[in-house]
Coordinates of all heavy atoms in Angstrom, one line a residue:
L1 N -5.1 -30.2 41.1 CA -4.5 -29.0 41.7 C -5.4 -27.9 42.0 O -5.4 -27.3 43.2 CB -3.3 -28.4 41.0 CG -2.1 -29.3 40.9 CD1 -1.0 -28.8 39.9 CD2 -1.4 -29.4 42.2
Q2 N -6.3 -27.7 41.2 CA -7.5 -26.7 41.3 C -8.3 -27.2 42.6 O -8.8 -26.4 43.4 CB -8.3 -26.5 40.1 CG -9.1 -25.3 40.1 CD -8.3 -24.0 40.1 OE1 -7.5 -23.8 39.2 NE2 -8.6 -23.1 41.0
D3 N -8.7 -28.5 42.6 CA -9.5 -29.0 43.6 C -8.7 -29.0 45.0 O -9.3 -28.5 46.0 CB -9.8 -30.5 43.4 CG -10.8 -30.6 42.2 OD1 -11.3 -29.7 41.7 OD2 -10.9 -31.8 41.8
F4 N -7.5 -29.1 45.0 CA -6.7 -29.0 46.2 C -6.8 -27.7 46.7 O -6.9 -27.3 47.9 CB -5.2 -29.5 46.0 CG -4.3 -29.0 47.2 CD1 -4.4 -29.8 48.3 CD2 -3.5 -28.0 46.9 CE1 -3.5 -29.4 49.4 CE2 -2.6 -27.5 47.9 CZ -2.7 -28.3 49.2
L5 N -6.5 -26.6 45.7 CA -6.6 -25.2 46.2 C -7.9 -24.8 46.8 O -7.9 -24.2 47.8 CB -6.4 -24.4 44.9 CG -6.2 -22.8 45.2 CD1 -5.2 -22.5 46.2 CD2 -6.0 -22.0 43.9
G6 N -8.9 -25.4 46.3 CA -10.3 -25.1 46.9 C -10.4 -25.7 48.3 O -10.9 -24.9 49.2
L7 N -9.9 -26.9 48.4 CA -10.0 -27.5 49.8 C -9.1 -26.9 50.7 O -9.5 -26.6 51.9 CB -9.7 -29.0 49.7 CG -10.6 -29.9 48.9 CD1 -10.0 -31.3 48.8 CD2 -11.9 -30.1 49.7
A8 N -8.0 -26.4 50.3 CA -7.0 -25.7 51.2 C -7.6 -24.4 51.5 O -7.4 -23.9 52.7 CB -5.6 -25.5 50.5
G9 N -8.3 -23.7 50.7 CA -9.0 -22.4 51.0 C -10.0 -22.6 52.0 O -10.2 -21.8 53.0
T10 N -10.8 -23.7 51.9 CA -11.8 -24.0 52.9 C -11.3 -24.3 54.3 O -11.7 -23.8 55.3 CB -12.7 -25.2 52.4 OG1 -13.3 -24.8 51.2 CG2 -13.8 -25.5 53.5
W11 N -10.2 -25.0 54.2 CA -9.5 -25.3 55.5 C -9.0 -24.1 56.1 O -9.2 -23.9 57.3 CB -8.3 -26.3 55.2 CG -7.6 -26.7 56.5 CD1 -7.8 -27.8 57.3 CD2 -6.4 -26.0 57.0 NE1 -7.0 -27.8 58.4 CE2 -6.1 -26.7 58.2 CE3 -5.7 -24.9 56.6 CZ2 -5.0 -26.2 59.0 CZ3 -4.7 -24.5 57.4 CH2 -4.3 -25.2 58.6
A12 N -8.4 -23.2 55.3 CA -7.7 -22.0 55.8 C -8.9 -21.1 56.5 O -8.7 -20.5 57.5 CB -7.0 -21.2 54.8
E13 N -10.1 -21.1 55.8 CA -11.2 -20.2 56.4 C -11.6 -20.7 57.7 O -12.0 -19.9 58.6 CB -12.3 -20.3 55.4 CG -12.0 -19.4 54.1 CD -13.1 -19.7 53.1 OE1 -14.1 -20.4 53.3 OE2 -13.0 -19.1 51.9
Q14 N -11.6 -22.1 57.9 CA -12.1 -22.7 59.1 C -10.9 -22.6 60.2 O -11.3 -22.4 61.4 CB -12.4 -24.2 58.9 CG -13.6 -24.3 58.0 CD -13.8 -25.8 57.6 OE1 -13.0 -26.7 58.0 NE2 -14.8 -26.0 56.9
H15 N -9.8 -22.6 59.9 CA -8.7 -22.9 60.9 C -7.8 -21.5 61.1 O -7.1 -21.4 62.0 CB -7.8 -24.0 60.6 CG -8.6 -25.3 60.7 ND1 -8.8 -25.9 61.9 CD2 -9.1 -26.0 59.7 CE1 -9.5 -27.1 61.6 NE2 -9.7 -27.1 60.3
L16 N -7.8 -20.8 60.0 CA -6.9 -19.6 60.0 C -7.7 -18.4 59.5 O -7.3 -17.6 58.4 CB -5.7 -19.7 59.2 CG -4.8 -20.9 59.5 CD1 -3.8 -21.2 58.3 CD2 -4.0 -20.6 60.8
P17 N -8.9 -18.0 60.0 CA -9.7 -17.1 59.3 C -9.1 -15.8 59.0 O -9.4 -15.1 58.1 CB -10.9 -16.9 60.3 CG -10.5 -17.5 61.5 CD -9.4 -18.6 61.2
A18 N -8.2 -15.2 59.9 CA -7.5 -14.0 59.8 C -6.5 -14.0 58.6 O -6.1 -12.9 58.1 CB -6.8 -13.5 61.1
H19 N -6.2 -15.2 58.3 CA -5.1 -15.4 57.3 C -5.5 -16.2 56.0 O -4.7 -16.4 55.2 CB -3.8 -16.0 57.9 CG -3.3 -15.4 59.1 ND1 -2.6 -14.1 59.1 CD2 -3.4 -15.6 60.4 CE1 -2.3 -13.8 60.3 NE2 -2.8 -14.6 61.1
A20 N -6.7 -16.5 55.9 CA -7.2 -17.4 54.9 C -6.9 -16.8 53.5 O -6.5 -17.6 52.6 CB -8.7 -17.7 55.1
A21 N -7.2 -15.6 53.4 CA -7.1 -14.9 52.0 C -5.5 -15.0 51.5 O -5.2 -15.3 50.4 CB -7.7 -13.5 51.9
A22 N -4.6 -14.6 52.5 CA -3.2 -14.6 52.2 C -2.7 -16.1 51.9 O -1.9 -16.2 51.0 CB -2.5 -14.0 53.4
V23 N -3.1 -16.9 52.7 CA -2.7 -18.4 52.6 C -3.2 -18.9 51.2 O -2.5 -19.4 50.4 CB -3.2 -19.3 53.6 CG1 -3.0 -20.8 53.3 CG2 -2.6 -19.0 55.0
T24 N -4.5 -18.6 50.9 CA -5.0 -19.1 49.5 C -4.3 -18.4 48.4 O -4.0 -19.0 47.5 CB -6.5 -18.8 49.6 OG1 -7.1 -19.5 50.7 CG2 -7.1 -19.4 48.3
A25 N -4.1 -17.2 48.5 CA -3.4 -16.3 47.4 C -2.0 -16.9 47.3 O -1.5 -17.1 46.2 CB -3.4 -14.9 47.8
A26 N -1.3 -17.2 48.4 CA 0.0 -17.8 48.3 C 0.1 -19.1 47.6 O 1.0 -19.3 46.7 CB 0.7 -17.8 49.7

């Protein structure tokens, strides 16, 4: 799960840069 969270954060930074922090926090 921790690895998934890291990968999802990287994906969000690439595809949703304006929302990456919020997506990762959620």
Side-chain angles (χ1 to χ4, degrees):
L1 289 170
Q2 195 70 52
D3 294 345
F4 168 77
L5 182 60
L7 291 170
T10 299
W11 180 91
E13 288 171 4
Q14 293 171 356
H15 299 279
L16 306 167
H19 305 285
V23 168
T24 303

